[in-house]
Amino acid sequence: MNIILLGPPGAGKGTQARRLVEERDMIQLSTGDMLREAKDSGTEMGEKVAKVMAAGQLVTDEIVIGLIEEKLQGDNAGGFIFDGFPRTLPQADALGELLTKYNNTLDVVVEMQVDDEALVNRITGRFTCGGCGEVYHDDTKRPAKEGVCDVCGKSDMKRRADDNADALRTRLMEYYKKTSPLIGYYYAKGDLKSINGLGEIEDVAALIKTALN
Ligand code: ADP
Ligand code: ADP
Ligand code: ZN
């Protein structure tokens, strides 16, 4: 089963994707993670996109479509979870074409609805384990031991450069201008399931489970 998690920055896409990886052996394809990896490993492409990402703008369709195509050629185990991709209509069209090219299909698009006020709170409180990528929050998801990852035990918590109020405003604007039209696009295609993403992590996980069954 291949699915898209669609929603604004901070909606909880990464958090829920990691659960699905654990529970269903699915593969998380997060273009944000891929771009940050490229940036950290100092590739030419990574350097090119670093400024764009820090400002909260979208990087070019060409770059992210290229990243996704590479992954679609690999193993797909329990299916792909597209997390943070597609983010524009051309990306959505390209995904459809690539899935066909590699003999795959899209099953469900889960739209996670979270209101703007809650997003600001989620983004400004977010931190991530540098060892395994587990996502935490200052208020809603603290590790059992301060500064130590519950999952891998490392003490390497990181905050993202673009998780500040300024960049978030740009990211939200990008979302409403360029990504939110995808909700109508997938509704018209018949693939859309919208869920309330405001509840606790467990509750949202249960809603996603129902949407997938
Ligand atoms: P996205 O990938 O959509 O940007 P994340 O999964 O990184 O979102 O979540 C953003 C922040 O909100 C993180 O700090 C995460 O721990 C927290 N979070 C995720 N889901 C919930 C939830 N249902 N309730 C409260 N906080 C949440
Ligand atoms: P969030 O967790 O807030 O939704 P991501 O980690 O998905 O953010 O993305 C971080 C940044 O990476 C975006 O603000 C954008 O600059 C870039 N990015 C990620 N995915 C895409 C994409 N599909 N198209 C264009 N830019 C992207
Ligand atoms: Zn960890």
Side-chain angles (χ1 to χ4, degrees):
M1 167 180 262
N2 300 312
I3 68 167
I4 296 174
L5 295 182
L6 182 62
K13 304 181 294 294
T15 299
Q16 297 297 335
R18 288 178 65 88
R19 290 183 64 116
L20 291 168
V21 168
E22 283 297 310
E23 288 165 12
R24 299 182 179 230
D25 197 28
M26 296 179 82
I27 295 178
Q28 178 186 10
L29 298 184
S30 159
T31 41
D33 287 347
M34 293 175 207
L35 290 165
R36 278 184 290 277
E37 262 167 43
K39 198 180 76 182
D40 293 343
S41 59
T43 65
E44 198 181 317
M45 183 268 281
E47 279 170 31
K48 206 167 107 187
V49 301
K51 260 198 191 146
V52 176
M53 289 175 74
Q57 291 156 347
L58 294 186
V59 310
T60 64
D61 291 336
E62 199 189 354
I63 288 176
V64 289
I65 292 166
L67 288 170
I68 287 288
E69 176 158 21
E70 262 174 49
K71 303 285 182 185
L72 290 185
Q73 296 168 63
D75 173 35
N76 77 336
F80 293 118
I81 307 163
F82 298 97
D83 160 14
F85 178 91
R87 261 175 153 97
T88 64
L89 291 167
Q91 288 179 25
D93 282 334
L95 177 61
E97 284 161 22
L98 286 174
L99 285 169
T100 307
K101 180 171 167 189
Y102 297 109
N103 288 318
N104 236 320
T105 50
L106 182 63
D107 297 285
V108 186
V109 177
V110 180
E111 184 216 350
M112 301 174 66
Q113 301 178 330
V114 174
D115 59 50
D116 298 327
E117 233 174 80
L119 294 177
V120 176
N121 190 8
R122 286 196 185 176
I123 294 274
T124 49
R126 169 162 63 186
F127 56 98
T128 308
C129 170
C132 71
E134 185 69 2
V135 187
Y136 293 95
H137 190 278
D138 290 329
D139 307 322
T140 57
K141 192 171 187 283
R142 301 187 69 90
K145 190 159 173 254
E146 186 75 32
V148 182
C149 179
D150 294 340
V151 177
C152 75
K154 285 202 180 144
S155 307
D156 181 24
M157 297 299 187
K158 292 193 164 124
R159 286 185 197 259
R160 277 168 47 179
D162 57 345
D163 277 352
N164 60 72
D166 250 11
L168 177 59
R169 247 188 302 278
T170 307
R171 284 157 71 195
L172 272 179
M173 191 60 85
E174 292 281 72
Y175 176 79
Y176 286 115
K177 278 164 68 174
K178 298 174 185 165
T179 308
S180 65
L182 300 187
I183 297 168
Y185 175 101
Y186 286 117
Y187 175 79
K189 285 189 70 181
D191 297 332
L192 192 74
K193 295 260 172 80
S194 298
I195 62 149
N196 181 348
L198 271 173
E200 291 188 9
I201 293 172
E202 297 293 327
D203 302 337
V204 177
L207 292 174
I208 292 178
K209 195 170 176 184
T210 309
L212 299 188
N213 291 337

